[in-house]
Amino acid sequence: MADSSTCLPLVPQSVTDAHTKIKEHIHRTPLLTSKTINDIASSPDPAIYLSDSIANPSKPFDSEHTDGVPKFNLFFKCENFQRIGAFKARGAFYAITRLIDTMTLPVLREKGVITHSSGNHAQALSLAAHTFKVPSYVVMPQISTSSKVLGAKRYAKEVIFSGSTSHEREAAMAQVQARTGAIFVPPFDHPDIVLGQGTVGREMSEQFQELLVDEKAQLDAVLSPIGGGGLLAGIATWFSDKETTVFGAEPSFQGADDAKRGRRAGSRITSVRSLTIADGLRMPVGLVNWEIVRDKKKVEEIYSVSEDEIKMTMRLVLERMKLVVEPSACTTLAVVLFNPDFRRLVAESQNGRPWNVGVVFSGGNTTVKIISTLFADDDASPKEKS
Amino acid sequence: MADSSTCLPLVPQSVTDAHTKIKEHIHRTPLLTSKTINDIASSPDPAIYLSDSIANPSKPFDSEHTDGVPKFNLFFKCENFQRIGAFKARGAFYAITRLIDTMTLPVLREKGVITHSSGNHAQALSLAAHTFKVPSYVVMPQISTSSKVLGAKRYAKEVIFSGSTSHEREAAMAQVQARTGAIFVPPFDHPDIVLGQGTVGREMSEQFQELLVDEKAQLDAVLSPIGGGGLLAGIATWFSDKETTVFGAEPSFQGADDAKRGRRAGSRITSVRSLTIADGLRMPVGLVNWEIVRDKKKVEEIYSVSEDEIKMTMRLVLERMKLVVEPSACTTLAVVLFNPDFRRLVAESQNGRPWNVGVVFSGGNTTVKIISTLFADDDASPKEKS
């Protein structure tokens, strides 16, 4: 990775600079709205409404008891339509262009880049490297599913298998680096990655203003998933000089809510062992990202949601919005629908008009197989069984 | 339904007139493109490519043997994003506005509208009626899944249950009509429905020209699913004075390819008993629609696809395009990917440049439950099991 001393500072202008660099290589993904989801989110109790039935007219959207009910206009940033199916393409492209700037392209082409990841980052890095004819090496655990291996192989020069422990993985990486001189590009914990992911926030600002035909309009709030923290840190950096309040969303299952717990404890939690279905959010917040994520001035609050809430949200997005999103991406809307603290805060903060809330759908890399496993014997759709 | 004698003729200008009437009530759904799908469709054998692996680098997109390989630029008309999740909203809104014109709104509000359907048409009609404060009555078989009943109940004034035979259904309809005077709006076999659905074609023409920034640009071909035939007849009507060749797509399972067989036999097939997964395409072509569907000058050819081909296509669209589409909607892209006759025709017709083909995704009304059932034990994703 480019030496941190050469990185731009983590301020909004640096996100703009990153955006200029990567714009031509990424998709400007759409910012979508849904009247149905607004109605459901703005009902007194979306949880009861959804688990009971999707369209039960005896429980109308507009209850007469609207005191304390938050009202939402939601704006969905669809990074599931991003290249490789997730926002990770942004950070990866920015990382590669930064390496080219600092090392020159011929040198980078000789050395190549390397990462360890079984998911979206490896595919994103390989795609970005491939675009500039830079060789990429991906270290993956031997137990990776073959679809992930195939995904990585599509653009990588080489996929190297290792054992599953971090020790085995690092040994495998060191071996490849000794042989090739490949530069390590970490999946989330680096200023360049943060600035690249921050372009999600910048596009949301632009697109919200375009939708409202008002170049001064600002979202009231934005919700981003948080795992390693690159995306949330980038988005919080972008909005740090704006009126928009930034929130994080993470799964609570088996302690995956490390960012929330770390903020309460006053120190970063460095180890998480969770098998949450939101598999992009299983790792603890990175060190660089923690400095932004912990900062109340940049991230107002972090909320967590249960596995069932993530699943109900995923079902809603698939069936009503007709969008394929991965479980990690659903944590944000799940907070809007189900988290009582967030909903109370919105109800108390809004002055007679709905809050305009940006909701980041971070990716869509799931499969029909995974959907089948998640919903095959599911009582989240009880009415289908009767 | 409005008396046929008052209907506009089935010509392109009438589609434009219908569009003017319904524009404000329907979504102008996006016309999307996908480089990945273009690459797969333009490879020598998408079937082997897909069933073998999604990203196997040993089978590159660009084979050296490109003789006879069709090349595609595909344009996907996403009616899965239409109101109520399918194109049916178009015909329903046009039918209601026509009834208002011929009968006046007060009279229609007194009588109401009625239909029998367990699917998208009932929901579409109820929504359209509800928009104009016209009561709607929906007759459904008692065995309908509760999700469909709930969907219909959302906007209908009344859902009436009947037995499953057409005799029982018609008796239940007659009873309601005797009581209310409700006007029957059929699901597909009426000129007004045809003209309403034809607006799909009109928007595709407009959007294709907008994408190419060329107001003379015309699609080389358009593929529409065909069940009852309203959509295909409408689209064929719109394109009947243009350079665009129109094709139909239907499932072959258990004789659901009645349109193709009827054209070969020279007469309409009036009965189909198929349980194809493309459940929107199980009925035979209607009488009004047949006159257009049979006409070689309007519909060049009708192709059929197998259940496995529909499933492989559905998986591809979900996993790669991140769009939720229903099986019926996948027949069109399945023809592009898998039908040897269509692919040969394109390979022979194109002169050194890819064909610009409009592909209609007619709807997205499926559920995670249905997806689970379709793909739970599926060898369409063999690599996931290894």
Side-chain angles (χ1 to χ4, degrees):
Chain A
M1 199 74 185
D3 189 317
S4 292
S5 67
T6 70
C7 292
L8 295 174
L10 294 178
V11 297
Q13 180 58 45
S14 304
V15 175
T16 300
D17 294 347
H19 204 200
T20 307
K21 285 265 186 194
I22 65 174
K23 237 176 195 173
E24 66 178 302
H25 301 296
I26 59 169
H27 292 324
R28 191 185 199 236
T29 58
L31 188 71
L32 299 182
T33 58
S34 164
K35 191 178 172 309
T36 305
I37 312 286
N38 286 344
D39 284 346
I40 293 174
S42 305
S43 70
D45 190 347
I48 284 180
Y49 174 78
L50 283 177
S51 62
D52 196 13
S53 72
I54 282 286
N56 189 335
S58 67
K59 290 204 176 66
F61 290 121
D62 294 311
S63 163
E64 284 171 21
H65 311 288
T66 56
D67 267 9
V69 177
K71 298 290 168 189
F72 295 100
N73 278 326
L74 302 172
F75 298 84
F76 300 95
K77 181 62 171 169
C78 293
E79 287 292 293
N80 53 328
F81 292 141
Q82 187 51 267
R83 295 187 73 181
I84 69 106
F87 71 95
K88 295 274 184 180
R90 298 171 183 267
F93 268 104
Y94 186 54
I96 294 285
T97 59
R98 285 270 299 132
L99 284 170
I100 292 170
D101 285 352
T102 52
M103 304 176 56
T104 78
L105 185 53
V107 174
L108 188 63
R109 280 189 182 150
E110 210 185 292
K111 293 174 177 291
V113 291
I114 185 167
T115 198
H116 59 82
S117 150
S118 58
N120 294 332
H121 173 64
Q123 283 192 54
L125 184 69
S126 302
L127 167 66
H130 181 261
T131 304
F132 293 98
K133 298 193 169 61
V134 169
S136 62
Y137 306 91
V138 177
V139 175
M140 296 180 92
Q142 241 142 9
I143 56 160
S144 304
T145 61
S146 59
S147 64
K148 286 200 169 159
V149 176
L150 287 166
K153 272 187 177 166
R154 179 149 182 215
Y155 294 111
K157 183 176 180 198
E158 224 177 285
V159 172
I160 300 100
F161 294 102
S162 77
S164 300
T165 70
S166 63
H167 181 76
E168 290 167 311
R169 185 181 74 199
E170 268 148 40
M173 287 230 330
Q175 225 170 16
V176 179
Q177 286 184 292
R179 164 161 65 87
T180 61
I183 314 291
F184 174 53
V185 179
F188 51 81
D189 203 25
H190 191 281
D192 288 341
I193 300 289
V194 170
L195 292 173
Q197 321 300 32
T199 59
V200 168
R202 185 165 193 272
E203 287 181 11
M204 291 176 84
S205 286
E206 287 177 355
Q207 291 169 311
F208 180 68
Q209 290 167 354
E210 288 163 13
L211 278 175
L212 268 65
V213 202
D214 174 0
E215 62 179 36
K216 282 184 187 149
Q218 291 192 20
L219 289 158
D220 294 302
V222 163
L223 280 147
S224 162
I226 172 165
L231 179 61
L232 177 59
I235 288 173
T237 299
W238 169 254
F239 285 108
S240 61
D241 64 349
K242 297 173 186 65
E243 293 298 307
T244 305
T245 310
V246 174
F247 298 92
E250 62 186 352
S252 57
F253 188 62
Q254 296 178 333
D257 55 347
D258 63 289
K260 187 182 78 176
R261 292 185 293 120
R263 275 169 59 116
R264 291 210 180 142
S267 68
R268 185 171 79 99
I269 287 165
T270 55
S271 166
V272 171
R273 285 170 181 276
S274 171
L275 289 175
T276 169
I277 55 172
D279 56 2
L281 309 178
R282 286 176 182 170
M283 70 291 279
V285 188
L287 194 57
V288 171
N289 304 336
W290 173 247
E291 291 309 314
I292 295 173
V293 166
R294 71 185 302 178
D295 184 351
K296 253 265 182 190
K297 290 196 295 292
K298 290 182 175 156
V299 177
E300 176 70 21
E301 191 57 87
I302 293 177
Y303 297 103
S304 63
V305 287
S306 72
E307 303 292 281
D308 274 352
E309 290 166 343
I310 293 171
K311 277 173 69 175
M312 275 196 282
T313 304
M314 187 166 164
R315 178 174 166 232
L316 182 72
V317 176
L318 265 83
E319 295 186 354
R320 301 306 285 264
M321 295 188 75
K322 319 297 180 189
L323 297 179
V324 175
V325 285
E326 57 187 81
S328 304
C330 296
T331 53
T332 47
L333 179 55
V335 166
V336 171
L337 295 172
F338 305 121
N339 188 285
D341 298 330
F342 177 72
R343 292 176 61 82
R344 193 179 313 117
L345 182 140
V346 173
E348 288 168 3
S349 304
Q350 59 195 8
N351 289 315
R353 68 159 183 84
W355 255 29
N356 295 315
V357 178
V359 173
V360 178
F361 283 155
S362 47
N365 286 332
T366 189
T367 64
V368 292
K369 202 82 191 161
I370 291 170
I371 295 170
S372 301
T373 309
L374 283 175
F375 295 100
D377 299 303
D378 190 36
D379 49 4
S381 33
K383 293 288 170 184
E384 292 290 327
K385 287 180 174 170
S386 63
Chain B
M1 200 74 187
D3 188 317
S4 292
S5 67
T6 71
C7 292
L8 295 174
L10 293 177
V11 297
Q13 181 58 44
S14 304
V15 175
T16 299
D17 294 346
H19 204 201
T20 306
K21 285 265 188 196
I22 65 173
K23 237 178 196 171
E24 65 178 305
H25 301 295
I26 59 167
H27 292 324
R28 190 187 201 236
T29 57
L31 188 70
L32 299 181
T33 59
S34 164
K35 191 179 173 307
T36 305
I37 311 287
N38 285 344
D39 284 347
I40 293 173
S42 305
S43 69
D45 190 346
I48 285 180
Y49 174 78
L50 283 177
S51 63
D52 197 12
S53 73
I54 282 287
N56 190 335
S58 68
K59 291 205 173 65
F61 291 121
D62 296 310
S63 164
E64 285 173 18
H65 312 288
T66 55
D67 267 9
V69 177
K71 298 289 169 190
F72 293 100
N73 278 327
L74 302 173
F75 297 84
F76 300 95
K77 181 62 171 169
C78 293
E79 288 291 294
N80 54 328
F81 292 141
Q82 187 51 266
R83 295 187 74 182
I84 69 106
F87 72 95
K88 295 272 183 180
R90 297 170 184 269
F93 268 105
Y94 187 54
I96 294 284
T97 59
R98 283 270 299 132
L99 284 172
I100 292 170
D101 285 353
T102 52
M103 304 177 58
T104 78
L105 185 53
V107 174
L108 188 62
R109 281 190 182 149
E110 210 185 290
K111 293 173 177 291
V113 292
I114 186 167
T115 197
H116 59 81
S117 150
S118 58
N120 294 332
H121 173 63
Q123 282 192 55
L125 183 68
S126 302
L127 168 67
H130 181 260
T131 304
F132 293 97
K133 298 193 171 57
V134 169
S136 61
Y137 306 89
V138 177
V139 175
M140 298 181 89
Q142 241 141 9
I143 55 160
S144 303
T145 61
S146 59
S147 65
K148 286 199 170 159
V149 176
L150 287 167
K153 274 189 176 167
R154 180 150 180 212
Y155 295 112
K157 183 174 179 200
E158 225 178 285
V159 172
I160 299 99
F161 294 101
S162 78
S164 301
T165 69
S166 62
H167 182 75
E168 291 167 307
R169 187 181 70 198
E170 268 149 40
M173 287 230 329
Q175 225 169 13
V176 179
Q177 287 183 292
R179 165 163 62 89
T180 62
I183 314 290
F184 175 53
V185 179
F188 50 81
D189 203 26
H190 189 281
D192 288 341
I193 299 288
V194 170
L195 292 173
Q197 322 300 31
T199 59
V200 169
R202 185 165 195 271
E203 287 181 11
M204 291 176 83
S205 287
E206 288 177 354
Q207 291 169 312
F208 180 68
Q209 290 167 353
E210 287 163 13
L211 278 175
L212 268 65
V213 202
D214 174 0
E215 62 179 38
K216 284 186 184 146
Q218 291 192 21
L219 288 158
D220 294 302
V222 163
L223 280 147
S224 162
I226 172 166
L231 180 61
L232 177 59
I235 288 174
T237 298
W238 169 253
F239 286 107
S240 60
D241 64 351
K242 300 175 182 64
E243 293 298 307
T244 304
T245 310
V246 174
F247 299 91
E250 64 186 350
S252 57
F253 188 63
Q254 294 178 334
D257 55 347
D258 63 288
K260 187 182 78 178
R261 292 185 293 120
R263 277 169 57 117
R264 292 211 180 140
S267 68
R268 185 172 79 100
I269 288 165
T270 55
S271 165
V272 172
R273 286 172 182 272
S274 171
L275 288 176
T276 169
I277 55 171
D279 56 1
L281 310 178
R282 286 175 182 170
M283 71 290 280
V285 188
L287 194 57
V288 171
N289 304 336
W290 174 247
E291 291 309 313
I292 295 172
V293 166
R294 72 186 300 180
D295 183 350
K296 254 264 185 193
K297 289 197 294 293
K298 290 183 176 156
V299 176
E300 176 69 23
E301 190 58 86
I302 292 176
Y303 298 103
S304 64
V305 287
S306 72
E307 302 291 282
D308 273 351
E309 289 165 344
I310 293 171
K311 278 173 69 175
M312 276 197 282
T313 304
M314 187 166 166
R315 179 174 165 230
L316 182 72
V317 176
L318 265 81
E319 295 186 354
R320 302 305 286 264
M321 293 187 77
K322 318 295 180 191
L323 297 179
V324 175
V325 285
E326 57 188 81
S328 302
C330 296
T331 51
T332 47
L333 178 55
V335 166
V336 171
L337 295 172
F338 304 122
N339 188 286
D341 297 331
F342 177 72
R343 292 176 61 81
R344 192 179 313 114
L345 180 142
V346 174
E348 286 167 3
S349 304
Q350 60 195 8
N351 288 316
R353 68 159 181 85
W355 255 29
N356 294 316
V357 178
V359 173
V360 178
F361 284 155
S362 48
N365 287 332
T366 188
T367 64
V368 293
K369 202 82 194 162
I370 292 170
I371 295 170
S372 300
T373 310
L374 283 174
F375 295 100
D377 299 303
D378 190 37
D379 48 6
S381 35
K383 293 288 170 184
E384 293 289 330
K385 288 181 175 170
S386 64

